[in-house]
Amino acid sequence: MDDYINEEVVEIDKVIEENKNGAMRRVTTETHHSGPDGSERRLYRMVAVSFGMLCVLQVALNISLRLESDSLTEERDQLPTSYNNLTKERDQLQREKDDLMEKSSNPSWNKFESCWYFVSTEGKTWNESRQDCVARGADLVIINSRKEQRFLFALNKRFWIGLTDSETEGFWKWVDGTPLITRYWVNNQPNNGGSVSTFPGEDCVGLRDGQGQPEKTWNDLNCAEKLNWICELCNNNLL
């Protein structure tokens, strides 16, 4: 009888132990699953990175919008200046157009290649002639080529050109300050009136007519003599 009772007690102890161990395993399993697993942690990291990228993009967008806004403001502020410049250019073009129309209808102006030439009908001193040209928005003619020299010779007039050595004797330069390079002097010219010491000398250049040698027509003369003159105006906007 005692043995039987002991066996029952042992069986009961086994059942209790098994139940205890099972409960502990469940608690351990449940405890293990209560925290985030590996996939959940990766998801959290992805969300955090995405949020960070969104913040960076937002900052970049704000900077871009600010820069664009500043640029638009600057362009807006420049509009009045641009408008004024365009207005001035328009007015200048209109004046040049009117000037072209006036020259085209005026027989005193002759066109050759890219320039206009005013041929006077009266005589003045070299300085007075130049003043007249300047008042017309031009200057005494500067001869730059053999073709231009021949064109002027064909006008068959005796006139002043824009060449002088009044500043330094023997150093000839044009009215725009450039030194003389190509020369179309009459034989034995320039001679300063026959003597270097002659006063007031011959410091201005006139073009002779009717000599039959178009490339030998320049002559130095006393600037106080009165000749016809030719003004030259070269402006590509008038073409």
Side-chain angles (χ1 to χ4, degrees), residues 8-9 52 101 108 116 122 128 131 134:
E8 289 293 328
V9 170
M101 296 298 294
S108 295
W116 287 88
E122 59 180 322
E128 290 171 343
Q131 290 173 6
V134 172

Side-chain angles (χ1 to χ4, degrees), residues 22-182:
M24 291 181 65
R25 284 195 296 274
R26 286 195 299 273
V27 169
T28 301
T29 302
E30 290 174 358
T31 302
H32 176 73
H33 286 289
S34 64
D37 59 12
S39 61
E40 290 176 337
R41 286 195 296 272
R42 286 194 297 273
L43 178 60
Y44 293 156
R45 284 197 296 271
M46 291 177 62
V47 171
V49 170
S50 299
F51 181 76
M53 292 179 65
L54 287 175
C55 292
V56 172
L57 289 174
Q58 182 65 45
V59 172
L61 179 60
N62 290 341
I63 294 174
S64 176
L65 291 174
R66 178 62 180 272
L67 292 175
E68 183 176 358
S69 176
D70 293 342
S71 177
L72 290 174
T73 300
E74 183 178 354
E75 290 180 4
R76 182 201 62 194
D77 294 340
Q78 291 177 350
L79 283 176
T81 301
S82 299
Y83 175 79
N84 291 335
N85 291 337
L86 288 173
T87 301
K88 291 178 180 178
E89 291 179 10
R90 181 203 63 193
D91 294 343
Q92 177 64 24
L93 288 173
Q94 184 62 46
R95 286 192 296 270
E96 291 172 354
K97 179 182 177 182
D98 295 341
D99 191 43
L100 174 60
M101 296 298 294
E102 178 184 352
K103 288 177 173 56
S104 299
S105 60
N106 189 334
S108 295
W109 285 93
N110 298 268
K111 188 174 185 301
F112 176 72
E113 293 188 342
S114 61
C115 299
W116 287 88
Y117 299 84
F118 173 82
V119 183
S120 76
T121 57
E122 59 180 322
K124 290 185 177 182
T125 67
W126 190 90
N127 287 321
E128 290 171 343
S129 298
R130 188 180 184 195
Q131 290 173 6
D132 179 87
C133 290
V134 172
R136 298 175 188 275
D139 210 333
L140 284 173
V141 62
I142 297 173
I143 302 174
N144 295 309
S145 68
R146 181 178 288 107
K147 289 177 64 177
E148 187 176 21
Q149 167 68 18
R150 286 179 171 270
F151 161 74
L152 296 172
F153 174 79
L155 297 176
N156 197 30
K157 285 182 178 291
R158 189 167 176 259
F159 54 82
W160 291 119
I161 64 175
L163 186 62
T164 180
D165 72 341
S166 58
E167 291 185 4
T168 303
E169 180 61 36
F171 181 72
W172 297 94
K173 65 179 182 179
W174 297 103
V175 288
D176 66 352
T178 57
L180 175 64
I181 298 177
T182 305

Side-chain angles (χ1 to χ4, degrees), residues 178-237:
T178 57
L180 175 64
I181 298 177
T182 305
R183 306 162 188 265
Y184 301 105
W185 294 107
V186 173
N187 291 335
N188 302 319
Q189 296 294 333
N191 66 356
N192 199 39
S195 173
V196 176
S197 61
T198 300
F199 184 82
E202 297 181 340
D203 298 329
C204 297
V205 178
L207 190 149
R208 290 182 177 179
D209 62 331
Q211 301 300 311
Q213 294 180 294
E215 295 174 22
K216 292 184 178 182
T217 59
W218 295 1
N219 184 28
D220 61 336
L221 300 167
N222 187 311
C223 299
E225 288 193 37
K226 292 189 176 183
L227 301 180
N228 293 103
W229 68 93
I230 292 186
C231 304
E232 180 182 36
L233 176 62
C234 298
N235 188 335
N236 291 331
N237 291 330

